[in-house]
């Protein structure tokens, strides 16, 4: 049994310590918002926050994050400026990458509430979008940043 | 999918004639099929259901894979129905003939950028018929003439008396109305929704994480399976040892299926560890020695021989002999994987009396029927529940439904619901690629430097060959998707010939976003620039001459050039390239502005795109699809190819099959031509022009052509 804190809730799950966090979240906690894209830390769609840091859950051993605070897409409040901007800017197409993109943006704004284009490039380059929504992701991050409250929230 | 369009255009016309002549199609009859009204619901046809609360449920018969049909199609029906937009609710339609494609024959399919084009008339009529029945019901209730009543905002009003009644309160009476024979459609000048920017209905779910994709579906008692498939495409299992796999905790069982060996487990991780522990002896089959370099040589040899004619105008051989100058070039484009962000998957629950499938499908009827055959059940007993698709691009319109059949066979074998998940490696190495092509082109200029002759010989595999689509898509040996975008070019070239060689079958190939237009537009538009250069002419002006007889196309080209300030010099250190292409009923021109740094790295700075797709439905979706097509094309142009050595695919994940990332995203500007022509497609037409526009921009700086994709460093570096 491994104890996990996800989105502010404690779970006790039957998992071996070397199981990837991604599959524990998706299959054992039933939080399917976090997506599987490559399994090799190459696409970023599985990104979650672990103690406020964006990590690739597909290559994170669940045993290593017991006791950490984990936040998934479901744990980002609906009124979070990033989620709001994502709706206002009509960012998603197929939508599959966006849980990862949103978590990436939340983490970026927490660290850097006023990112430049170059900051966005370096923070978001690891999260791919096959539908090519990058222009809107950039726009939405700027809009969320202009809101000014993203820094404090996650 | 041109041939299908042509073939079924007949069918489409027949149906349209039936509609306009006032005869009723089955889907209008309230008592037929799925359109069953009740005391609490008014269901005038298979697409609509209105309940007493006024909620309008729209049955979506197309796959939502990012292209926006979840919003654009209900917009069309809501426009004519005159309901409140916020009363619309969307549900995925089940497999039923009422939802068959109006252009592609008796199947449900999402492809060929046809959703809006093909449903435009049917949905408008479905909405208008319902509106007329609601008006008729109100008029009857008020003992007024229907002509005195109007519908708007989800209610019917009677102007004389000022009475109003909501649709929800007319449900019972409307259900008793006869379906109208002469359906009156609104003139486009009265459109309130169509052509307006509407927020996508699927966005909130896709932002809060609740949107369900096939991979997210869980059923009680469900197992997860990962399948070991042959390392060489088309191979077979000889023998296997599953002793070690079965010892992995969480592994339930191991079953042999047609396409390989499936490890069935409690979850993905155990299944995947189980698969790693299988010991399988494979028969590698006919592709065991496949080698991309050798294949390239074979294709080049084929191109030297005369192919089968796909287009022929004037006298090409004489014109080339008499030409003042000629240029010969060969272009090579690779096999490409679709790599949708959501890897393929399917949940199947096979029981003795039925089967339920949960998956994101572009090919609902085909998938349902293939699953039925695999389950040994009649198709009516198989229900396909469509979900959101985490990208399609053609990869989820698979003629043999292989991933659906895998799930069905495994579920049947274990007697429980099973979810099959493909890994990214399974996806990249799993075949069903865009065909590779080798195209030889010869062009000739007269002494005034006019392009008077163009000959193209295309070598590539056919997608349709050996499938049920063969008859519709291959005519006299010419495979239409292999020549689309080449043989139908509207450029005014007096002597013009396109020939085709069908390359040997083997590697499974499939329609990849924009299909034949991807390679043919590249060759056509790059070669036009090569000819313009030889002619000493500006590539934009050179194209203008070639489009002199086509005002609509010319206007799109002019719009892109004007918005990009083509006539002014490029910013210092930058180059511009232009390309134009017509596909899927829409005309698109692009101007790409690029820079090349000291290390010969190309950066696409900006793309100006102009599109004429006829009447627009949701303009922001058109902009989004152009942005999307540009990224999709650039990913291929700069990074992607599938190659073979000793029969093995050499790429396996996003490190070896990369795609465009945030830092490489150009600024994109989209200009839409205002038009009342019938709608064209938008999902695919943004892909074909981008790579030639970029290649032409590179050539404008380096003076060298790029005849190979992905672009090679040696073709860029000075
Ligand atoms: S699934 Fe984790 S980075 Fe791709
Ligand atoms: S929206 Fe489809 S992968 Fe990003």
């Amino acid at each position: 049994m491994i104890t996990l804190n996800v989105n502010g809730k404690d779970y006790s799950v039957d998992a071996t310590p070397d199981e990837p966090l991604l599959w524990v979240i998706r299959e054992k906690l039933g939080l399917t918002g976090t997506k599987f894209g490559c399994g090799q830390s190459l696409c970023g769609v599985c990104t979650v926050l672990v103690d406020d840091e964006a990590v690739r859950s597909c290559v994170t051993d669940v045993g290593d994050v017991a006791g950490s605070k984990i936040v998934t897409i479901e744990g980002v409040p609906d009124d979070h400026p990033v989620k709001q901007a994502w709706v206002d800017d009509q960012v998603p197409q197929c939508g599959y990458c966006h849980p990862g993109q949103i978590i990436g943006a939340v983490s970026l704004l927490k660290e850097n509430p006023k990112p430049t284009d170059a900051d966005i490039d370096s923070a978001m380059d690891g999260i791919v979008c096959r539908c090519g929504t990058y222009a809107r992701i950039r726009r939405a991050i700027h809009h969320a940043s202009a809101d000014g409250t993203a820094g404090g929230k996650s | 999918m041109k041939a299908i369009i042509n073939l079924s255009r007949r069918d489409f016309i027949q149906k349209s004639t039936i509609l306009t002549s006032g005869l009723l199609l089955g889907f209008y009859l309230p008592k037929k099929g799925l359109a069953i009204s009740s005391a609490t619901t008014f269901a005038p046809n298979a697409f609509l259901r209105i309940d007493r609360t006024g909620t309008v449920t729209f049955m979506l018969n197309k796959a939502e894979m990012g292209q926006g049909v979840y919003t654009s199609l209900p917009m069309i029906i809501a426009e004519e129905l005159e309901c409140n937009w916020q009363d619309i609710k969307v549900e995925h339609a089940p497999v039923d003939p009422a939802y068959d494609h109006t252009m592609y024959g008796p199947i449900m399919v999402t492809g060929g950028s046809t959703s809006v084009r093909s449903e435009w008339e049917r949905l408008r009529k479905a909405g208008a018929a319902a509106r007329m029945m609601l008006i008729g019901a109100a008029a009857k209730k008020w003992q007024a003439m229907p002509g005195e009543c109007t519908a708007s905002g989800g209610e019917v009003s009677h102007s004389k008396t000022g009475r109003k009644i909501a649709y929800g309160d007319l449900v019972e009476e409307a259900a008793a109305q006869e379906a109208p024979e002469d359906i009156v459609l609104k003139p486009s000048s009265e459109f309130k929704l169509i052509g307006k920017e509407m927020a996508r209905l699927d966005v909130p779910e896709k932002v809060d994480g609740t949107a369900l994709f096939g991979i997210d579906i869980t059923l009680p008692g469900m197992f997860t399976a990962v399948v070991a498939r042959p390392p060489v495409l088309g191979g077979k299992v000889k023998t296997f040892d599953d002793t070690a796999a079965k010892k992995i905790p969480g592994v339930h069982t191991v079953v042999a299926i047609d396409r390989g060996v499936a490890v069935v487990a409690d979850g993905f991780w155990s299944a995947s560890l189980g698969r790693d522990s299988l010991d399988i002896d494979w028969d590698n089959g006919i592709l065991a020695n496949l080698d991309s370099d050798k294949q390239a040589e074979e294709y080049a040899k084929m191109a030297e021989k005369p192919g089968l004619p796909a287009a022929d105008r004037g006298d090409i051989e004489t014109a080339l002999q008499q030409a003042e100058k000629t240029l010969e070039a060969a272009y090579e484009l690779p096999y490409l994987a679709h790599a949708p962000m959501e890897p393929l998957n399917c949940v199947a629950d096979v029981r003795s009396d039925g089967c339920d499938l949960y998956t994101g499908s572009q090919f609902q009827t085909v998938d349902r029927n293939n699953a039925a055959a695999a389950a040994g059940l009649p198709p009516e007993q198989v229900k396909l529940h469509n979900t959101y698709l985490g990208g399609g691009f053609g990869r989820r319109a698979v003629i043999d439904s292989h991933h659906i059949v895998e799930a069905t066979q495994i579920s049947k074998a274990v007697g429980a619901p099973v979810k099959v998940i493909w890994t990214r490696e399974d996806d990249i190495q799993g075949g069903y690629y865009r065909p590779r092509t080798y195209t030889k082109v010869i062009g000739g200029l007269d002494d005034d430097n006019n392009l008077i002759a163009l000959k193209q010989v295309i070598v590539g595999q056919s997608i349709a060959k050996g499938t049920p689509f063969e008859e519709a898509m291959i005519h006299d040996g010419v495979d239409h998707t292999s020549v689309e975008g080449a043989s139908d070019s509207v450029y005014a070239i007096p002597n013009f010939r396109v020939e085709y060689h069908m390359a040997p079958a083997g590697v499974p190939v499939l329609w990849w976003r924009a299909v034949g237009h991807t390679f043919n537009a590249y060759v056509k538009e790059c070669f036009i620039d090569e000819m313009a250069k030889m002619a000493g002419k500006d590539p934009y002006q050179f194209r203008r001459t070639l489009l002199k007889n086509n005002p609509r196309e010319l206007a799109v080209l002019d719009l892109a050039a004007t918005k990009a300030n083509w006539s002014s010099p490029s910013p210092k250190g930058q180059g511009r390239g232009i390309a134009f292409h017509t596909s899927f009923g829409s005309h698109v021109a692009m101007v790409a502005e690029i820079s090349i740094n000291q290390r010969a790295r190309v950066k696409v700075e900006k793309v100006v795109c102009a599109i004429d797709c006829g009447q627009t439905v949701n303009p922001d979706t058109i902009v989004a699809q152009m942005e999307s097509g540009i990224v999709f094309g650039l990913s291929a142009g700069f990074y992607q190819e599938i190659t073979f050595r000793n029969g093995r695919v050499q790429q396996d994940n996003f490190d070896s099959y990369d795609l465009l990332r945030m830092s490489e995203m150009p600024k994109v500007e989209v200009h839409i031509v205002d038009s009342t022509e019938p709608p064209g497609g938008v999902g695919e037409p943004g892909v074909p022009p981008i790579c030639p526009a970029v290649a032409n921009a590179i050539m404008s700086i380096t003076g060298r052509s790029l005849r190979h994709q992905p672009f090679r460093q040696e073709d860029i570096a000075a």
Side-chain angles (χ1 to χ4, degrees), chain B residues 417-641:
Chain B
V418 169
K419 169 155 61 183
V420 165
I421 298 178
W422 285 43
T423 61
R424 181 59 57 194
E425 290 79 6
D426 296 340
D427 171 58
I428 303 280
Q429 304 202 315
Y432 299 84
Y433 304 127
R434 194 273 309 264
R436 80 176 292 180
T437 54
Y438 181 97
T439 306
K440 187 178 149 184
V441 210
I442 312 170
L445 300 173
D446 68 9
D447 45 14
D448 282 331
N449 285 313
N450 295 310
L451 182 58
I452 51 155
L454 186 76
K455 182 180 173 183
Q456 233 168 305
V457 184
I458 302 165
V459 182
Q461 277 179 252
S462 156
I463 296 164
K465 181 76 184 164
T467 76
F469 294 91
E470 178 165 343
E471 209 185 305
M473 298 174 79
I474 303 179
H475 295 124
D476 300 324
V478 177
D479 172 62
H480 278 264
T481 60
S482 296
V483 300
E484 66 181 1
S487 61
D488 51 1
S489 164
V490 296
Y491 284 152
I493 305 167
N495 303 285
F496 177 70
R497 188 171 163 93
V498 176
E499 294 177 3
Y500 174 63
H501 287 281
M502 193 179 292
V507 176
V509 286
L510 192 65
W511 18 73
W512 184 93
R513 194 174 188 181
V515 201
H517 291 280
T518 57
F519 41 80
N520 288 326
Y522 187 73
V523 173
K524 169 172 74 75
E525 291 300 295
C526 287
F527 194 69
I528 287 293
D529 263 49
E530 293 200 42
M531 292 306 293
K533 190 175 158 221
M534 194 166 79
K537 292 185 179 173
D538 173 80
Y540 162 49
Q541 294 302 335
F542 197 64
R543 282 182 179 77
R544 291 202 84 234
T545 313
L546 297 172
L547 289 175
K548 61 185 179 207
N549 304 323
N550 298 76
R552 201 174 159 193
E553 286 86 343
L554 185 61
V556 176
L557 181 72
D558 285 344
L559 181 61
T562 310
K563 294 290 184 186
N565 294 316
W566 182 268
S567 51
S568 71
S570 312
K572 207 174 138 41
Q574 291 191 12
R576 277 198 201 109
I578 193 165
F580 169 84
H581 194 71
T582 298
S583 61
F584 308 99
S586 295
H587 310 292
V588 181
M590 290 184 187
V591 174
E593 297 178 358
I594 65 116
S595 59
I596 305 178
N597 74 8
Q598 307 281 322
R599 300 192 338 275
R601 300 294 297 181
V602 174
K603 176 147 201 319
V604 182
E605 307 281 350
K606 184 175 171 186
V607 178
V608 176
C609 167
I611 175 169
D612 179 349
C613 56
Q615 168 74 54
T616 63
V617 176
N618 198 0
D620 191 46
T621 290
I622 298 166
V623 173
Q625 285 310 296
M626 293 304 106
E627 292 167 351
S628 176
I630 287 165
V631 175
F632 207 80
L634 291 176
S635 293
F638 283 102
Y639 296 119
Q640 297 173 342
E641 65 180 329

Side-chain angles (χ1 to χ4, degrees), chain B residues 155-170:
Chain B
E155 54 185 23
V156 181
S157 11
H158 186 235
S159 51
K160 273 191 192 159
T161 58
R163 278 181 291 197
K164 283 181 192 305
I165 184 163
Y167 285 0
D169 296 328
L170 285 168

